[in-house]
Amino acid sequence: MAGHEPAYIAGAFEHPTREAPDKSTMQLHAEVAKGALADAGLTKDDVNGLFTAGVPEYRSGLSPLVIADYLGMDATYVDTTDYGGSSYIAHVGHAVSAIRDGKCDVALVTLAGRPRSRGQATGSGTRELRTVQDSFERIYGATNITMYGMAAKRHMHEHGTTSEQLAEIRVAASQHAQYNDHAMYGDPVTVEDVVESRVVADPLHLLDCCVISDGGGALVVVSEDVRDDLDREAVEVLGHGEAPSHHDAGRIDITRTGAEASGERAFAEAGLGPEDIDYASIYDSFTITVLEAIEDLGFCEKGEGGVFVEGGTLQAPDGELPFNTDGGGLCSNHPANRGGMTKVIEAVRQLRGEANSEVQVDASVALAHGTGGSIATRHGAATVVLGRESR
Amino acid sequence: MTWEPRPVPEVTPETDAYWTAAANGDLLVRECSACGLVYHYPRSLCPDCFSENVEWREASGHGEVYSYSAARTMSGWPEDDLPLIVAYVQLDEGPRIMTNIDANPEDIEIGTRVEVRFVDTEEEDVAVPVFVPIEA
């Protein structure tokens, strides 16, 4: 980040599983931690910063202690910011700040969960009332898909966006997923396949929705001193921004997201703009999530996302804005219903030249963006801009 | 018809008047006497200016559909109530509030004028506001 001591992502690991009935969630946390540390060339004893949104299925305020205890880690710094799926992108920025403040120099970020093994179905959601808002929203059956459906419907109404344009986003993801041996859905689909799949909550079809998968991932963020002793190529964190976005007392505009602010902040910190991005990981809980984020991050004008994604814009390696080259949450993996982690991991792969060869982009600057929660009520937008290391 | 087995709202000291009014056939919004903001959901401090000088105001119960989505399946939901229309209604008083529209999805669109109805729950002092299209 401009004017500050550099910090780096030195390790990244995506669990290869998509269904783990015989493992505990905590075991997955440990496995991804081990994988990311091995990737960085560091050991468990090197870790002194512990970042996680906890264990989603426990919803326990004590989750950082649960995780530290299970992993057997003694941290000097802990952060459990929970924005839902974008948390792990926020954690990267928080880890950089903690490292710059000297609170830690090897920060571990972990995510794990097993919604598939628990039998969660697309379009379903809890009926339990947990927050003050739930008594005014969830009682009406407002699940993620009905809320993102409302956003899509309104975007269509204001801007003329079509189901076929949203389908282009799934098509591009599926083109990428065919080269990912771990992807849940590796077969390319067409626009027709998407718009002819069953409607789950109109106007969203089944293929507008992300997968439900078990698994997880981890990242290791380190100081410049630590990174100088490592052999592995690291990725510099150039900028970070986030924006909690909400119902605003009833003034909410569901065609806009916190990406407007989080993107602006991340770009400003990096001293870069949308035109500098060679590869983008964009949170894809649903196709509409991608469309609104593309507009709000400034890759095109507000309302023009539908036209922008037509004609293979998002398809690597030759599209104007190659996105989610692992197949993303739509086709590959959405561990624990939280896709921010895999967004960062694929951006790291791209910058290291370790994406699947058919979709490898010549990328020196990449972006990872997350939308956690619901764009129709509350969500945490988080953006990081990452750069290929030059040394 | 009662609301159950759908989740019944949790009543708190801050929201008690809202649900009780609904049980009596009135839709309430909050209005800040300091800055004039009309807001939903009810809070004791104005979310714009933090004034504690906020009043209950009876809303007209009229508004228009800001957006909606019809779910074709919903686990644990009464079959008779599918498809389920989850919507934001923009009240004539201003705030966009989440609700259900009791109608066929084919019969509404964004901008459709709607008015409030109240569905009783098994709790005597709690009814839930939903909306229906106003017949032209």
Side-chain angles (χ1 to χ4, degrees):
Chain A
M1 302 186 198
H4 295 288
E5 182 191 332
Y8 299 86
I9 299 174
F13 179 78
E14 178 182 5
H15 204 294
T17 193
R18 301 294 185 264
E19 185 167 22
D22 300 325
K23 293 187 176 188
S24 73
T25 295
M26 295 312 300
Q27 179 181 354
L28 293 172
H29 269 281
E31 289 178 358
V32 296
K34 184 176 179 180
L37 287 166
D39 183 54
L42 291 163
T43 70
K44 179 172 169 297
D45 291 341
D46 295 316
V47 176
N48 50 20
L50 196 52
F51 292 72
T52 179
V55 188
E57 58 229 61
Y58 295 177
R59 289 276 176 189
S60 162
L62 297 176
S63 59
L65 303 180
V66 171
I67 288 178
D69 185 301
Y70 184 94
L71 296 178
M73 285 187 176
D74 297 315
T76 57
Y77 195 88
V78 170
D79 179 327
T80 52
T81 300
D82 190 353
Y83 281 157
S86 59
S87 306
Y88 313 90
I89 296 173
H91 292 158
V92 171
H94 298 185
V96 170
S97 296
I99 288 167
R100 290 204 177 118
D101 275 353
K103 303 290 187 187
C104 59
D105 61 5
V106 176
L108 173 68
V109 188
T110 65
L111 156 73
R114 302 165 59 254
R116 189 175 175 191
S117 287
R118 285 188 283 108
Q120 186 183 332
T122 297
S124 66
T126 180
R127 298 170 61 203
E128 195 182 328
L129 305 183
R130 289 172 172 144
T131 68
V132 60
Q133 293 90 5
D134 285 348
S135 288
F136 298 90
E137 298 165 358
R138 201 172 285 283
I139 59 160
Y140 293 109
T143 56
N144 267 342
I145 186 158
T146 45
M147 290 195 277
Y148 280 82
M150 280 200 284
K153 177 94 71 180
R154 186 73 197 183
H155 200 280
M156 290 174 167
H157 174 78
E158 289 191 21
H159 302 297
T161 308
T162 66
S163 289
E164 287 74 13
Q165 289 170 333
L166 290 176
E168 292 270 6
I169 294 165
R170 174 69 178 230
V171 169
S174 77
Q175 285 292 329
H176 302 154
Q178 66 179 312
Y179 305 112
N180 181 352
D181 292 340
H182 300 297
M184 269 183 72
Y185 298 111
D187 292 333
V189 299
T190 64
V191 167
E192 290 69 34
D193 291 334
V194 180
V195 299
E196 287 169 11
S197 64
R198 75 178 164 89
V199 171
V200 181
D202 77 312
L204 298 178
H205 304 79
L206 184 63
L207 295 187
D208 286 301
C209 306
C210 63
V211 304
I212 291 177
S213 55
D214 300 342
L219 301 165
V220 181
V221 186
V222 303
S223 67
E224 185 160 41
D225 284 349
V226 171
R227 167 271 207 174
D228 285 347
D229 291 335
L230 300 175
D231 298 327
R232 186 83 159 95
E233 187 181 359
V235 162
E236 186 174 353
V237 182
L238 301 173
H240 152 256
E242 54 194 277
S245 192
H246 53 73
H247 179 246
D248 195 21
R251 290 166 295 202
I252 188 170
D253 176 350
I254 61 178
T255 67
R256 294 176 179 274
T257 75
E260 291 177 313
S262 70
E264 188 177 327
R265 288 165 191 158
F267 283 130
E269 205 163 74
L272 297 169
E275 65 283 0
D276 298 306
I277 300 300
D278 302 309
Y279 163 80
S281 284
I282 299 179
Y283 201 102
D284 52 350
S285 47
F286 303 95
T287 51
I288 184 65
T289 322
V290 178
L291 192 89
E292 290 198 9
I294 284 173
E295 296 172 347
D296 295 342
L297 291 167
F299 291 112
C300 66
E301 294 295 316
K302 191 72 212 172
E304 293 179 6
V307 174
F308 180 80
V309 301
E310 286 179 330
T313 305
L314 301 179
Q315 286 186 36
D318 299 323
E320 183 185 334
L321 182 67
F323 101 124
N324 298 8
T325 40
D326 56 346
L330 289 170
C331 298
S332 172
N333 197 12
H334 194 231
N337 301 320
R338 289 164 171 242
M341 173 63 72
T342 44
K343 295 294 160 289
V344 180
I345 292 172
E346 183 66 5
V348 170
R349 289 194 193 107
Q350 279 288 350
L351 291 169
R352 283 173 161 174
E354 295 173 356
N356 293 308
S357 59
E358 295 86 351
V359 293
Q360 178 67 53
V361 177
D362 181 18
S364 58
V365 180
L367 172 146
H369 176 75
T371 310
S374 166
I375 47 176
T377 52
R378 289 165 298 289
H379 65 272
T383 311
V384 289
V385 178
L386 306 173
R388 190 160 60 197
E389 188 182 32
S390 51
R391 64 166 166 174
Chain B
M1 170 182 165
T2 63
W3 185 253
E4 291 81 358
R6 289 174 274 199
V8 175
E10 184 182 299
V11 179
T12 70
E14 211 174 7
T15 62
D16 186 25
Y18 177 87
W19 300 113
T20 304
N24 292 324
D26 291 324
L27 179 65
L28 299 186
V29 290
R30 277 293 211 181
E31 182 166 1
C32 175
S33 301
C35 75
L37 178 70
V38 177
Y39 62 93
H40 175 87
Y41 53 93
R43 272 153 281 186
S44 298
L45 279 69
C46 170
D48 265 11
C49 74
F50 264 10
S51 170
E52 293 170 60
N53 190 9
V54 294
E55 306 293 334
W56 291 106
R57 174 173 156 188
E58 199 174 305
S60 65
H62 289 201
E64 66 177 48
V65 176
Y66 170 72
S67 195
Y68 67 99
S69 177
R72 309 301 163 99
T73 59
M74 183 69 59
S75 59
W77 219 255
E79 279 290 319
D80 290 350
D81 290 343
L82 294 174
L84 169 73
I85 303 176
V86 177
Y88 264 123
V89 165
Q90 177 151 3
L91 301 178
D92 287 351
E93 290 76 14
R96 292 168 183 163
I97 79 169
M98 198 173 284
T99 189
N100 293 139
I101 309 281
D102 188 6
N104 291 318
E106 296 74 26
D107 294 338
I108 63 166
E109 54 190 28
I110 289 175
T112 296
R113 295 288 301 168
V114 291
E115 63 184 346
V116 72
R117 292 282 186 274
F118 298 94
V119 183
D120 289 336
T121 70
E122 288 171 9
E123 304 284 331
E124 191 180 333
D125 293 334
V126 180
V128 179
V130 302
F131 286 78
V132 296
I134 296 173
E135 300 300 331

